Amino acid sequence: MDALLTSAVAGLTAGGTYALLGVCAVFTYRLVSVVNFTGAAIGTAGTFALIALTEAGYPTWPSVLAGILVGTFVGVAIGTIMTRWFAESSASTKAAVTVALLVGLIAVGLRLTGGQHPHVMPELFPGSAFRLAGVEVTIASVLTIGLAVLFTVLSDLFLNRTRVGLHLRALSDRPMAAELLGVKVQLLSLLVWGLTGAFTTFALMIIAPQRSPNFMTLSLLVVPALAAALVGLFRSFWLTLAGGILLGVIEGMASTVDSISQYRSAIPFLVVLAVLLWSQREARWDDAR
Amino acid sequence: MTRASLRASLALVAALAVGGAAVVGLLPSYWVFLATSVLITGVALQSLGLVAGRTGMIALCQMSFAGVGAWTVGYLNLAEAPGDLAVWILLGGLAAVPFGVAIGLPALRLRGINLAIVTLSFATAFDTILATITYPGQTTFLQVPRPALFDSDGSYFVFVQIVYAVIAVALEFLARSRLGASWLAVRHSERAAAAHGVSIAASKLSAFAISAFTAGISGGLLAGYLGTLVAENFSMMASLSLYAVAVMTGAHFAEGAIIGGLLVVMFPEILRRFDLPQDIGNVLFAIGATQALSTGETMSETFRRLARKLRPARRTKAADATGASLPQPAAQAAPVALEIDDLSVRYGSVVALDHVNLKVLAGTVAGLIGPNGAGKSTFIDAVAGFLHAYEGSVKLAGAALEGRPAHLRARAGVRRTWQTNRIAPELTVGGYLNLAAKGLTESEIAAILGWLDCPDPEVPVTTVDAGTRRLLDVAGVVAARPAVVLLDEPAAGQSHEESVRLGQRIAQIPKLFGSAVLLVEHDMDLVRSVCSEITVLDFGKVIASGPPAKVLGEPAVKKAYLGIEEESVAA
């Protein structure tokens, strides 16, 4: 029992990261109606900027800042492609574009970072925050979950309590119409891309030491992130948050059971399958066609 | 249909034979080896083209399906199963089918994006699972033997080529079949497809199943090609980049799959010769796919468009109906074709239809009229099964339709048209009729098209003008010869002369096709000339019904249409 609790708590850092990435995915979907497959890859780019700088001997914290800037920049760059050429495209075309961009990003990323070549990722927040029922809870996990909760609260407030948020919600499918209402859609979209880029970068920096820091592995964290977003049906931030944390905890627990620990990256797949089958109990037609 | 398939298939087989002979006869063995790889990738791309190109979904685990096929072949080899590689490859393809169906299930009712997430997570899961259980015989370096006849690299190329040709021809026939048409229709509009009696679930699942099968075959071919495999051959990245290539070249076209295969295999080869890093290929595929998505045109479509420009422009032929006869009309089973009792529909607090009663007698044309927003289209939606819920009963020839989804109502004999045209533009005119009505002969199709002055069956729908597409809609529903045809404003956007001609045709429908007609229309001349009974709706209520002359004279009807009392007009 104790071992199970320990491993569940050990999964919290990952859970917090999945939750944050998931909430960012929902945020992007609700504001610019893009299901973003490049989410984690954007953060990975920033993380590797940090690794490159620290490996070159620069001090840690300025490098973190520079890394976040790089992540923000990559996010904005992808956002520019999406808003310039695909603003009026269907949601499924937009998703297909981000898949294509993911292929390109990973290829460029692997090239620049030397493929499977091992890198040293500085642990930004070592040590434990407090003990819970005799189990150490790490600062990293408190931080990722805290960040995820913060982003959830902010997104919820922005979308439900501000005028611009309301406008954008009403019109996310029709950027042209929002533009006519005087909302600066282009600028806001880029802001969304930049903001999610910055947050995911920071989250990935925290989780990177736990994973093999290789450009592809980190970019593919988008899978649990989208699984979490599906738990929230790409609508609810709070359900997404819960889904992400739960995914991390289940993964953590699975890692202690020898017979299934090797298969734990199949967990997001099972969650996705279950959520989709559950959510489509009632028949519905594709939107308005 | 079959004639066109045969022609295309023969062209394809001839091209493959000539190309294959050139490869084997002229190229050094190393290039023959590479060409084999091109064809195997081509098979995988064809499987992807079916899902991504035809049904328009994002599928990101095609190499995992290939992995299932390859793993099965490896396992059968290890277990020293009877038969040779050809049999094992077939079994490998079949082994991939349940995976395809299981993954397709969650995407049945929701659109493409969910499938993208499911498939991507499956690809990740498969990656780790394959890395853990390893490829059968990987540790003992057990080679998968090739068939005795095709043991050398040169002859194995011929083997792969035969498999490629068989799959390409089979897919060509499928694409032109009713099932293939249903994929395009579902992609374009699920509702319109269901209105033709197409089961959306069956259509999508069959696409997934066939796609997984084909991908599994490509994996089996790869096993024979390389002898031993590792998990890396079927990595998620391979699936992702295959998707990018499929989007870029248009893998559902025969040439798209080959061009894609060439790009995937030759690009790294060329880069290697120039001492350039080989992963640049993926960057270019990403750019190419993004470009194709932004213009909405794949490489194959660009080539086809340019090729069409080179050819002399053909005038759109009208269907030639000489000597062709219309299909037998449907038997009229009951005196009342359609009977609606107390039909009510509510959207929240808004009452769209309020206790509507209506009868359509067999062998007649009835009219349903009313001002905009009166609930006419809601009525059709309810009868045809496109609403979640309604109160009251809908009986077709005496049998209640409640509880039956749209596609089953369509099969039972309720066919409808739409106010906006929903014909998938990728279809040909004949393909559309084949989708709408199962089992018509070519001469019957020609006869129906000729009867409505529609274009020749071979004409692609993209080149048909909007007005004629509305006629095509009518042609589709009558071709199925259902018990009842619901026509939703068929004359909208037609000129007066066209509308008169259309009226004459509609009046003939009961006699020629055996179907009763319910006509929703704003064109009062048309309604007056063809309908024997009309019903007038206003704000969801029936305000009058009876013979046209009587009903159109009623003050309440005039008021509903003009918004004023008759007296004040006179005053």
Side-chain angles (χ1 to χ4, degrees):
Chain A
M1 188 61 225
D2 225 27
L4 209 59
L5 182 67
T6 314
S7 55
V9 171
L12 281 179
T13 317
T17 310
Y18 299 163
L20 182 63
L21 289 174
V23 173
C24 281
V26 177
F27 189 70
T28 315
Y29 180 69
R30 287 188 59 179
L31 285 177
V32 292
S33 53
V34 177
V35 173
N36 183 14
F37 282 86
T38 60
I42 292 171
T44 307
T47 307
F48 270 93
L50 160 68
I51 292 176
L53 287 172
T54 48
E55 278 178 352
Y58 289 94
T60 308
W61 290 104
S63 309
V64 168
L65 207 65
I68 292 178
L69 276 179
V70 168
T72 314
F73 174 77
V74 174
V76 170
I78 289 184
T80 311
I81 295 176
M82 298 308 296
T83 44
R84 171 155 306 181
W85 288 298
F86 298 98
E88 300 283 332
S89 303
S90 73
S92 117
T93 305
K94 287 180 187 171
V97 175
T98 65
V99 170
L101 291 176
L102 175 66
V103 173
L105 264 180
I106 292 181
V108 173
L110 284 177
R111 170 110 317 267
L112 292 181
T113 60
Q116 309 289 332
H117 173 75
H119 287 277
V120 186
M121 173 66 206
E123 195 153 348
L124 297 179
F125 303 99
S128 82
F130 56 88
R131 293 176 73 84
L132 179 81
V135 178
E136 303 280 353
V137 178
T138 60
I139 299 182
S141 63
V142 173
L143 208 65
T144 51
I145 292 179
L147 262 179
V149 172
L150 177 75
F151 199 82
T152 305
V153 173
L154 285 180
S155 320
D156 215 21
L157 283 179
F158 175 69
L159 279 178
N160 294 321
R161 297 293 146 89
T162 65
R163 249 185 105 71
V164 177
L166 275 178
H167 272 155
L168 282 175
R169 257 174 72 194
L171 300 163
S172 68
D173 287 339
R174 298 263 169 80
M176 189 78 98
E179 195 100 59
L180 292 174
L181 279 181
V183 180
K184 290 198 172 63
V185 174
Q186 288 258 338
L187 189 71
L188 268 168
S189 309
L190 293 185
L191 216 62
V192 168
W193 285 96
L195 199 68
T196 51
F199 268 87
T200 42
T201 304
F202 193 57
L204 281 175
M205 284 174 176
I206 300 171
I207 197 186
Q210 292 188 4
R211 307 277 158 145
S212 58
N214 140 351
F215 202 94
M216 187 152 82
T217 330
L218 288 183
S219 298
L220 294 182
L221 286 177
V222 72
V223 173
L226 290 176
L230 267 183
V231 172
L233 296 177
F234 277 93
R235 257 198 320 269
S236 159
F237 292 112
W238 291 101
L239 279 178
T240 304
L241 179 76
I245 294 175
L246 205 66
L247 254 179
V249 170
I250 296 175
E251 262 188 38
M253 293 199 309
S255 64
T256 55
V257 187
D258 278 337
S259 54
I260 55 170
S261 70
Q262 285 164 314
Y263 302 112
R264 64 178 187 280
S265 49
I267 290 171
F269 170 61
L270 298 176
V271 170
V272 167
L273 218 53
V275 170
L276 282 181
L277 287 174
W278 171 253
S279 67
Q280 58 170 276
R281 281 156 300 149
E282 40 187 283
R284 65 189 86 177
W285 297 101
D286 50 348
D287 31 319
R289 300 213 285 169
Chain B
M1 285 308 93
T2 41
R3 212 180 309 146
S5 302
L6 267 178
R7 207 181 312 135
S9 305
L10 284 177
L12 199 127
V13 170
L16 270 175
V18 171
V23 167
V24 178
L26 301 176
L27 292 180
S29 61
Y30 178 68
W31 288 96
V32 174
F33 187 71
L34 282 184
T36 313
S37 179
V38 169
L39 286 182
I40 294 175
T41 313
V43 172
L45 278 168
Q46 287 195 329
S47 78
L48 189 52
L50 198 122
V51 178
R54 292 194 192 280
T55 66
M57 308 233 197
I58 306 174
L60 304 176
C61 64
Q62 222 59 23
M63 289 313 286
S64 308
F65 292 150
V68 172
W71 196 89
T72 310
V73 168
Y75 180 82
L76 290 171
N77 179 34
L78 195 65
E80 291 173 2
D84 67 352
L85 186 63
V87 180
W88 298 345
I89 286 177
L90 202 63
L91 290 173
L94 290 175
V97 170
F99 288 88
V101 172
I103 285 166
L105 273 177
L108 282 188
R109 292 194 184 129
L110 305 159
R111 287 183 67 82
I113 301 166
N114 291 301
L115 189 74
I117 299 172
V118 180
T119 50
L120 186 66
S121 53
F122 176 68
T124 350
F126 187 79
D127 257 13
T128 34
I129 291 171
L130 195 59
T132 312
I133 62 176
T134 68
Y135 189 77
Q138 185 181 329
T139 41
T140 54
F141 302 104
L142 182 69
Q143 293 269 332
V144 173
R146 292 174 183 170
L149 256 181
F150 303 104
D151 196 42
S152 72
D153 280 351
S155 57
Y156 192 69
F157 171 79
V158 175
F159 175 72
V160 171
Q161 207 185 18
I162 292 170
V163 176
Y164 186 94
V166 169
I167 289 176
V169 168
L171 287 180
E172 173 65 40
F173 271 91
L174 258 179
R176 287 173 200 256
S177 71
R178 186 163 187 264
L179 184 63
S182 84
W183 294 331
L184 292 174
V186 166
R187 173 191 187 163
H188 188 66
S189 163
E190 293 190 355
R191 284 166 189 258
H196 289 308
V198 170
S199 159
I200 308 296
S203 172
K204 285 188 182 174
L205 278 186
S206 64
F208 292 134
I210 296 170
S211 165
F213 175 75
T214 315
I217 297 268
S218 82
L221 288 173
L222 196 63
Y225 174 64
L226 294 175
T228 49
L229 293 166
V230 286
E232 267 297 293
N233 292 108
F234 309 105
S235 73
M236 170 154 97
M237 205 50 207
S239 290
L240 281 175
S241 94
L242 197 70
Y243 176 76
V245 173
V247 168
M248 175 176 167
T249 62
H252 53 299
F253 296 104
E255 66 271 29
I258 290 283
I259 297 172
L262 278 171
L263 286 177
V264 170
V265 176
M266 293 304 170
F267 225 83
E269 183 63 25
I270 293 166
L271 291 170
R272 194 178 61 82
R273 296 200 168 210
F274 284 99
D275 265 341
L276 287 166
Q278 292 170 37
D279 43 15
I280 295 181
N282 274 343
V283 180
L284 291 170
F285 300 153
I287 295 171
T290 311
Q291 144 79 14
L293 286 165
S294 76
T295 55
E297 193 179 70
T298 60
M299 276 168 78
S300 307
E301 285 163 315
T302 312
F303 290 151
R304 288 189 175 200
R305 183 168 51 85
L306 295 177
R308 261 202 304 275
K309 264 192 190 165
L310 289 178
R311 258 181 291 169
R314 262 191 316 183
R315 286 209 28 233
T316 316
K317 296 189 285 189
D320 179 18
T322 43
S325 58
L326 291 172
Q328 284 294 312
Q332 293 167 21
V336 181
L338 184 70
E339 184 170 10
I340 316 292
D341 281 317
D342 264 345
L343 179 69
S344 296
V345 176
R346 274 174 251 280
Y347 296 120
S349 61
V350 179
V351 181
L353 289 177
D354 191 1
H355 299 284
V356 172
N357 292 294
L358 195 153
K359 258 186 208 171
V360 181
L361 299 180
T364 65
V365 178
L368 179 65
I369 63 168
N372 287 327
K376 305 185 296 293
S377 291
T378 305
F379 179 86
I380 291 189
D381 279 345
V383 173
F386 288 93
L387 294 185
H388 286 300
Y390 60 79
E391 291 160 31
S393 83
V394 177
K395 288 204 194 86
L396 181 74
L401 291 180
E402 275 69 44
R404 291 205 220 179
H407 70 276
L408 291 184
R409 291 188 186 205
R411 288 182 199 171
V414 181
R415 290 295 178 108
R416 65 166 299 176
T417 64
W418 305 84
Q419 271 186 29
T420 49
N421 188 271
R422 297 181 183 219
I423 303 175
E426 298 94 340
L427 289 170
T428 59
V429 168
Y432 176 69
L433 277 208
N434 197 31
L435 170 74
K438 214 188 285 191
L440 287 180
T441 65
E442 287 191 23
S443 98
E444 285 168 345
I445 287 180
I448 293 170
L449 290 172
W451 177 70
L452 270 168
D453 304 323
C454 286
D456 187 75
E458 292 296 317
V459 172
V461 172
T462 22
T463 62
V464 177
D465 65 89
T468 311
R469 284 192 206 189
R470 299 203 62 94
L471 295 179
L472 204 49
D473 262 336
V474 178
V477 288
V478 297
R481 288 155 292 146
V484 175
V485 169
L486 309 170
L487 299 177
D488 200 351
E489 301 192 13
Q494 308 269 11
S495 71
H496 180 68
E497 289 75 26
E498 286 168 337
S499 168
V500 169
R501 279 184 70 82
L502 181 61
Q504 291 165 353
R505 298 290 184 264
I506 291 174
Q508 292 175 323
I509 290 176
K511 194 171 130 269
L512 290 181
F513 299 94
S515 313
V517 179
L518 180 67
L519 173 68
V520 171
E521 196 39 80
H522 280 302
D523 183 335
M524 284 306 140
D525 292 335
L526 180 61
V527 171
R528 226 188 294 264
S529 65
V530 302
C531 297
S532 53
E533 292 274 321
I534 59 174
T535 303
V536 187
L537 275 182
D538 192 22
F539 293 112
K541 285 194 175 131
V542 175
I543 56 169
S545 63
K550 175 175 153 269
V551 168
L552 292 177
E554 282 183 24
V557 175
K558 289 190 172 169
K559 182 181 175 238
Y561 264 91
L562 298 173
I564 41 172
E565 302 285 351
E566 212 172 353
E567 287 80 5
S568 52
V569 179

